[in-house]
Amino acid sequence: MAQPPPEEEEQFLTSIFPAPPPFYKHFTPTNLSALKDAQEKLSPNTNDQNSNKNSKDASSSSFPTTTLTPTQLLDLPAPLREQLTYLIPPPPPDPSVEYRVFGKPTKLGGDDPFEYIMQYVRNRLWNPDTSQGLLPLWEYERLYPADPSSKSSLSREGAGDTQMTDENNNNNTQTTQQQGEGGGGGDWGTLDRQTYLFRFLRSIIIKHVELLGILATDPTAPAPPDADGNGPQVILPENPFNPGTPLYDKAKDKVLREILNLVMNMHALINEYRPHQARETLIRVLEGQVERKKKEIEGVRRMAGRVGEALEGLRGAAAAAGGGEEGGGVDGNEGEGSSSGGGGGVEKDEEKIAMREMWRALEGV
Amino acid sequence: MADILTQIQDELDMLLNQMQSSLAYIHYRTPPAPIQNQPLLSSFAEHEAQTQAQQAASQPNNAQPAPAAPEPLPTPEEFQKDIRELSRDLLLKEQQIEVLIGSLPGLHSSEAEQVERMRELEKELEELEGERLKAVKEKEELVKLVEGRIMSLGESA
């Protein structure tokens, strides 16, 4: 009993990664074959039981990947049960059931933590319990349609539009303001993500300029009335720096909230784009593989052609050289080879050339 | 290189950082505007540094070295130049992000089209694999043939 702990300690010290779960040691050939035996032994039983009730069940349980159910496992003799328990993976949890990973409740399908993150950011910016923080009243607001239809013709239209704004943006920011805000009133559903990203990005710059203006003139100015004509919102009934008056929402905070919202929207859009890019990357890789295979085949073909040529040349030369002395010694078919017999040194050279050619071809192979 | 999406997100954070630092620069480094017919007073930071320097001078045995005097504020001309540079950098960064957004791949294909394309490529790959195997077999046969030739040549020599 005293032996295992030091061993574990050593493992802990020598390896960066945690040791594998100890039950991997149970996957020995003997245990695996025992599992197979047990499965085979138990499967017919279940088949017999099921065939009385339902033949369909029986066929499904005789499927080769059948695993032992917990009840079947309990029926096994104790030593065998101990031996086999770790070999059978537990069933995956139900998709609707929550379980904990690193102390966090998780579901099998995984859920979108976006709302939680936005809530977290909001609480970091303004603590509602203590009424303290940097930026009150921020709420994430989605500025793009939930499921934008990315039809090719429409997105091309959008790309042309953004190119136009590109040029304007180079000239001065005033134009982009008009473009960015004018574009905001367009038909939302027919534009693609790229256009939205451009819009948000330019709006951020505009808002930055706006923020600069507010800070330069009056950093404590109350927020201007909104579209409905409502005045600045009351954040706290009592201003801690000016008792007796309520704390109003400030213009700079409003702009900061808008910038934050735009940035969050951009991040969300980009993250939504990720599966698309993953598919696109896969397509690129596949295209690359097709290209490589084509080249490989072409290379092999070319090599084959060269070897064939060299062989032809060799055959001709060899047949010419050996034509006089040993008729069928070199190869079987020398119908054309023997006809060019006769002559001495010239053919010897040709043979050498042919040999060299062939070796070169072989090196390529 | 990271993929374009991550790059955009990084650059976006950088853009916000630049916005913040340019605001901070304006906030802390703006030279005081002289008021006409008023004496020019040193700023608070300068004043503090001066008093500390005096204290350090009056107590020479004090082990604690006097803190370095704050960097002198830029002259109005320098400040204007810096602000121009900052805003140019900001717009440059914005343009960089626009270029990145503009080069996002596959914007003109929907998910179904992408899946379709992947199927096509997969099929093509399988066909090519068969062709390749055939070519390799041919090559091996040729090699065998060549080997046979060499052997027979060796025998004949």
Side-chain angles (χ1 to χ4, degrees), chain A residues 38-51 72:
Chain A
Q39 269 173 353
E40 272 167 13
K41 212 162 55 190
L42 283 164
S43 296
N45 291 349
T46 52
N47 274 357
D48 291 344
Q49 284 165 10
N50 286 339
S51 58
Q72 284 174 331

Side-chain angles (χ1 to χ4, degrees), chain A residues 143-145 157-158 161-162 164-165 168 174-203 206 262:
Chain A
L143 297 176
Y144 55 93
E157 205 176 280
D161 180 45
T162 51
M164 200 174 69
T165 48
N168 288 334
Q174 196 60 39
T175 328
T176 49
Q177 183 171 16
Q178 286 160 4
Q179 285 284 346
E181 296 191 345
D187 192 359
W188 290 97
T190 58
L191 290 162
D192 65 338
R193 284 159 192 216
Q194 199 178 26
T195 317
Y196 283 109
L197 285 177
F198 278 128
R199 280 182 189 168
F200 294 157
L201 183 61
R202 285 163 197 169
S203 300
I206 304 309
L262 285 165

Side-chain angles (χ1 to χ4, degrees), chain A residues 150-152 155-156 159 166 169-170 173 192-194 197-198 201-202 204-205 208 211-212 215 259 263 266-268 270-271 273-277 279-280 282-284 286-287 289-290 293-294 296-297 300-301 303-305 307-308 311 314-315 318 326 329-331 333 351 355 358-359 362 365, chain B residues 3-10 12-13 15-16 18-20 22-23 26 90-91 93-95 97-99 101-111 113-115 117-119 121-122 124-125 127-129 131-132 134-136 138-139 142-143 145-150 152-153 155-157:
Chain A
S150 55
K151 285 171 191 153
S152 52
S155 56
R156 235 169 259 139
D166 249 352
N169 198 57
N170 284 337
T173 37
D192 65 338
R193 284 159 192 216
Q194 199 178 26
L197 285 177
F198 278 128
L201 183 61
R202 285 163 197 169
I204 287 170
I205 290 287
H208 179 71
L211 179 65
L212 270 176
L215 292 182
I259 291 179
V263 173
M266 279 188 83
H267 276 296
I270 290 169
N271 284 333
Y273 191 86
R274 279 183 190 276
H276 186 91
Q277 168 169 297
R279 283 191 293 269
E280 199 63 32
L282 185 58
I283 287 176
R284 292 280 153 84
L286 284 176
E287 276 171 354
Q289 277 185 353
V290 165
K293 283 239 165 97
K294 273 183 180 160
E296 201 182 330
I297 291 169
V300 169
R301 291 259 156 85
M303 192 57 58
V307 172
L311 271 179
L314 181 76
R315 185 183 298 162
E326 37 192 308
V330 179
D331 56 33
N333 56 337
E351 191 185 346
M355 280 289 275
M358 200 184 74
W359 282 115
L362 275 175
V365 172
Chain B
D3 62 320
I4 293 180
L5 295 180
T6 312
Q7 230 176 328
I8 293 176
Q9 287 181 332
D10 285 349
L12 195 60
D13 290 346
L15 180 78
L16 291 183
Q18 281 190 5
M19 287 178 172
Q20 188 272 333
S22 62
L23 277 178
I26 294 169
L90 204 64
L91 281 185
K93 182 62 75 186
E94 194 262 356
Q95 291 292 314
I97 300 177
E98 285 204 7
V99 169
I101 294 174
S103 55
L104 282 174
L107 275 166
H108 306 316
S109 55
S110 64
E111 185 175 341
E113 280 170 5
Q114 282 181 324
V115 171
R117 177 96 183 105
M118 282 185 319
R119 292 248 165 78
L121 282 169
E122 205 182 334
E124 202 178 336
L125 260 184
E127 280 167 19
L128 278 174
E129 180 63 28
E131 220 172 297
R132 194 182 70 91
K134 231 164 68 190
V136 167
E138 270 174 35
K139 188 186 78 174
L142 270 171
V143 170
L145 206 65
V146 170
E147 273 173 3
R149 284 298 138 82
I150 293 169
S152 61
L153 262 187
E155 279 166 20
S156 70

Side-chain angles (χ1 to χ4, degrees), chain A residues 18-97:
Chain A
F23 47 76
Y24 79 97
K25 287 176 185 158
H26 289 259
F27 284 83
T28 56
T30 44
N31 278 2
L32 283 175
S33 65
L35 174 70
K36 218 174 175 184
D37 285 348
Q39 269 173 353
E40 272 167 13
K41 212 162 55 190
L42 283 164
S43 296
N45 291 349
T46 52
N47 274 357
D48 291 344
Q49 284 165 10
N50 286 339
S51 58
N52 296 337
K53 301 169 200 162
N54 194 340
S55 60
K56 205 176 173 187
D57 263 12
S59 67
S60 69
S61 65
S62 66
F63 198 68
T65 55
T66 317
T67 50
L68 299 171
T69 60
T71 44
Q72 284 174 331
L73 205 63
L74 281 175
D75 291 340
L76 290 172
L80 193 61
R81 190 171 72 218
E82 210 164 276
Q83 210 179 349
L84 298 184
T85 307
Y86 292 121
L87 300 186
I88 299 157
D94 196 73
S96 59
V97 173

